[in-house]
Amino acid sequence: MRHIAFAGFLLLAAAAGTAQTGHWQPQPIAGATEPSEVVAHSAASDWRPIAPENLLVMDLADGGRIAIELAPEFAPVHVANIRRLAHAGWWQGASVYRVQDNYVAQWGQNDGGGTRPEGVVEHPPAEYERPTAGLSIHPLGYPDSYAAQAGFVDGWPVGTDPARGSAWLAHCYGAVGVGRDLAPDTGMGGELYAVIGQAPRHLDRNIAVVGRVIEGMPALSARPRGTGDLGFYQVDRGETPVPIRSIRLAADMPAAERPSYEVMRTDSEAFARYVTGRANRGGTFFNVPAGGVDLCNVNVPVRRRAAP
Amino acid sequence: MRHIAFAGFLLLAAAAGTAQTGHWQPQPIAGATEPSEVVAHSAASDWRPIAPENLLVMDLADGGRIAIELAPEFAPVHVANIRRLAHAGWWQGASVYRVQDNYVAQWGQNDGGGTRPEGVVEHPPAEYERPTAGLSIHPLGYPDSYAAQAGFVDGWPVGTDPARGSAWLAHCYGAVGVGRDLAPDTGMGGELYAVIGQAPRHLDRNIAVVGRVIEGMPALSARPRGTGDLGFYQVDRGETPVPIRSIRLAADMPAAERPSYEVMRTDSEAFARYVTGRANRGGTFFNVPAGGVDLCNVNVPVRRRAAP
């Protein structure tokens, strides 16, 4: 208990060090609780389950499985499209056809294919940002190089513009976005990509982010890079897109087969301590805690959940 | 010419928007020159060659080649060690034995091996940061979540602490650091790693960064991830470290075989425009320029150079 109270005190010190007025100077905290310790000692109430309607499961022909949490609060029309596409088996015959180093892996039909399932909106609105009204935002507490403020909403890393009352999902490692052609096209949701390198935050507010990979990243990030422009595989050079066996919504899977996950609640006190720990690594390895952390290096904890 | 003058004006506007006092607000610039255009129209004098003494060439048994620029201005004793180790063939029999997703790929002898070549300092000093005196720092011009100021020194992304007059190499994608045991050990230089994911800047000032990969990242980043703790390959599970064929200093290679590169001068006006372009992507694809960019998303341009 003393341990936790002490960490709470340190957290206040961290907030003071990140005042948004004046020249920002990191205020390193010695002895902050290690992030892994925060997770290990968290309470069940510090976590929220991921609903089967918001969980997309992609199985590749080579055995790889990627689990994606969808974000209907940020891109409702795109997410509804993706649920319908999955339900209709849209991605049968599709593949991972583009892997660009330090950028994205992309999948879908590429050249198009099949009849659009009923109810799928061909031209969704530009769900690139949304009003902050109604959102509970946990501020990161450290500067961001892309947004006036960075923080977390219900498990999602976001950029916000308090002046405009706007928030958007950040292109962190594992973020899943909707491929599109040139503006003002927003993409139907049939072509998706995941970030596999340094967060390309310049894509924020320019593309519909619909979720993030919560398990299985290596099945995308460790693939051979395509040698074509933008990392597209060049089939005539023997580079082979990996076929997709299926992309299913967990809600459409037999209950016994459904994977189940939970995400740390970013409005919990445990998460606040986790962020402080990420910003002030210590233990026997680190000499100097940073006193700051990038939005995309916080890595909101996700874990498997015993079936209910 | 008008084009360039216009870009110069915009650059001043960008600097004004990043005043370090007050609440930072991105100041997006419409019509900034695309980074690729800046590179395409740069002058020969905007580039500096990489000396063969500062170029390390790693060849893997599977045909992969990784080129690394060394940074003697930041870690002179470690770099001198690495040059001696390469000259002595220290890495014969070594391998890439650890690949941790969204973190690092690591190589060396792992369990140790061989006699330390003459002149190699077994316990180098902690070359984790250095005085800014004598350095020409080009400020990034946007906030950083780890340092009071971020910028560039002679082609290298750095964090700086103006109050202490200190600068250090940042752990960006491709940064090469020296593996070590627990503090105060700094590592001899025989075990090296490269960053293959979101910049782990919490390692800054805690490890000796000795260079960065300038070509061949996929030979490390696209490798299968190890399933052991910290991404170590589990040989007893059939995960195979890839053998290293050779690690050579370009200066030790026959002149005809030496690859040759040049780096954009970060003290050039072209580089200032390049940074502005990276912070304000436009063209036909982007709807909204960010008005900011992360230190590790600038990607200082490097290109092959015709043999002199």
Side-chain angles (χ1 to χ4, degrees):
Chain A
M1 284 299 109
R2 266 186 73 78
H3 184 60
I4 288 173
F6 185 55
F9 167 77
L10 291 172
L11 185 66
L12 290 174
T18 59
Q20 290 290 333
T21 52
H23 191 112
W24 183 73
Q25 181 80 27
Q27 304 281 336
I29 296 171
T33 309
E34 281 292 293
S36 58
E37 289 294 305
V38 175
V39 171
H41 296 109
S42 60
S45 58
D46 293 329
W47 300 77
R48 67 157 173 82
I50 295 178
E53 293 73 25
N54 292 335
L55 183 62
L56 200 65
V57 179
M58 173 158 73
D59 285 302
L60 303 182
D62 63 3
R65 168 171 282 195
I66 296 108
I68 295 166
E69 182 182 10
L70 299 172
E73 297 301 321
F74 282 85
V77 179
H78 285 89
V79 167
N81 271 5
I82 289 167
R83 288 180 182 137
R84 287 197 175 94
L85 291 167
H87 189 71
W90 171 264
W91 284 285
Q92 268 161 27
S95 66
V96 181
Y97 55 79
R98 175 192 177 195
V99 185
Q100 184 172 1
D101 195 58
N102 193 20
Y103 201 44
V104 299
Q106 188 166 331
W107 61 92
Q109 301 279 6
N110 199 3
D111 296 314
T115 310
R116 192 158 27 89
E118 197 176 349
V120 170
V121 179
E122 188 174 2
H123 297 294
E127 299 172 318
Y128 300 163
E129 48 188 325
R130 58 153 288 168
T132 48
L135 296 182
S136 168
I137 301 172
H138 176 89
L140 173 66
Y142 306 105
D144 187 72
S145 16
Y146 293 90
Q149 190 176 74
F152 300 88
V153 170
D154 197 27
W156 300 96
V158 299
T160 76
D161 181 352
R164 289 190 303 119
S166 181
W168 56 90
L169 295 179
H171 272 85
C172 296
Y173 192 84
V176 175
V178 176
R180 64 165 172 88
D181 290 327
L182 299 182
D185 175 42
T186 69
M188 178 185 74
E191 308 299 314
L192 298 171
Y193 64 84
V195 171
I196 62 165
Q198 177 70 19
R201 298 271 312 276
H202 52 287
L203 296 175
D204 291 5
R205 297 185 293 145
N206 284 287
I207 284 195
V209 178
V210 291
R212 70 164 174 136
V213 176
I214 54 172
E215 192 172 58
M217 272 303 293
L220 295 170
S221 60
R223 305 213 82 77
R225 277 45 177 160
T227 63
D229 282 350
L230 305 174
F232 284 91
Y233 284 137
Q234 299 193 84
V235 179
D236 57 1
R237 289 201 182 178
E239 299 172 8
T240 49
V242 61
I244 292 169
R245 187 177 293 158
S246 66
I247 300 183
R248 293 175 290 176
L249 201 62
D252 291 336
M253 296 170 72
E257 289 179 30
R258 281 181 204 161
S260 186
Y261 300 91
E262 56 190 2
V263 180
M264 185 174 267
R265 295 178 63 105
T266 48
D267 59 355
S268 67
E269 198 243 343
F271 182 72
R273 277 183 287 123
Y274 176 84
V275 173
T276 300
R278 289 290 295 168
N280 295 281
R281 299 298 301 277
T284 49
F285 184 82
F286 288 89
N287 303 296
V288 185
V293 64
D294 185 82
L295 174 68
C296 290
N297 223 336
V298 169
N299 305 335
V300 179
V302 175
R303 65 185 183 189
R304 286 204 167 236
R305 188 168 174 248
Chain B
M1 284 302 109
R2 265 187 71 77
H3 184 62
I4 288 172
F6 185 55
F9 167 76
L10 291 172
L11 185 67
L12 290 174
T18 59
Q20 290 289 334
T21 51
H23 190 112
W24 183 73
Q25 181 80 26
Q27 304 282 334
I29 296 170
T33 308
E34 282 292 293
S36 57
E37 288 295 304
V38 175
V39 171
H41 295 109
S42 61
S45 57
D46 293 328
W47 301 77
R48 67 156 173 82
I50 295 177
E53 293 74 24
N54 293 333
L55 183 62
L56 200 66
V57 179
M58 173 158 72
D59 286 302
L60 303 182
D62 63 4
R65 168 171 283 195
I66 295 108
I68 295 165
E69 182 182 9
L70 299 172
E73 296 302 321
F74 283 84
V77 179
H78 286 88
V79 166
N81 270 5
I82 290 166
R83 288 181 182 135
R84 286 197 175 92
L85 291 167
H87 189 72
W90 171 263
W91 284 285
Q92 268 160 28
S95 66
V96 181
Y97 56 78
R98 174 193 180 196
V99 185
Q100 185 172 2
D101 195 57
N102 193 21
Y103 201 45
V104 299
Q106 188 166 330
W107 62 91
Q109 301 277 6
N110 199 4
D111 296 315
T115 310
R116 193 156 29 88
E118 196 175 350
V120 169
V121 178
E122 188 175 3
H123 298 293
E127 298 172 318
Y128 300 162
E129 48 188 325
R130 57 153 287 168
T132 48
L135 296 183
S136 167
I137 301 172
H138 176 88
L140 173 65
Y142 305 105
D144 186 72
S145 18
Y146 293 90
Q149 189 175 74
F152 300 89
V153 170
D154 197 27
W156 300 96
V158 299
T160 75
D161 182 352
R164 288 190 303 122
S166 180
W168 56 90
L169 294 179
H171 272 84
C172 295
Y173 192 85
V176 175
V178 176
R180 64 164 171 88
D181 290 327
L182 300 182
D185 175 42
T186 69
M188 178 185 73
E191 309 297 314
L192 298 171
Y193 65 85
V195 171
I196 62 165
Q198 178 69 20
R201 298 272 310 276
H202 51 287
L203 296 175
D204 292 6
R205 298 184 292 147
N206 284 286
I207 284 195
V209 179
V210 291
R212 70 164 173 136
V213 176
I214 53 171
E215 192 172 57
M217 271 303 292
L220 295 171
S221 60
R223 304 213 82 78
R225 277 44 178 160
T227 63
D229 281 350
L230 305 175
F232 284 90
Y233 285 137
Q234 300 194 84
V235 179
D236 56 2
R237 290 200 182 180
E239 299 172 9
T240 48
V242 62
I244 292 169
R245 186 177 292 155
S246 66
I247 299 183
R248 292 175 290 176
L249 201 63
D252 290 336
M253 295 170 72
E257 289 179 31
R258 281 181 204 162
S260 186
Y261 300 90
E262 56 190 2
V263 180
M264 186 175 264
R265 294 177 62 106
T266 48
D267 59 355
S268 68
E269 198 243 345
F271 182 72
R273 278 184 287 121
Y274 176 85
V275 173
T276 300
R278 289 292 296 169
N280 295 278
R281 299 298 301 278
T284 50
F285 184 83
F286 288 89
N287 303 296
V288 185
V293 64
D294 185 83
L295 174 69
C296 290
N297 223 335
V298 169
N299 305 335
V300 179
V302 175
R303 65 185 183 190
R304 285 203 167 238
R305 186 166 175 251

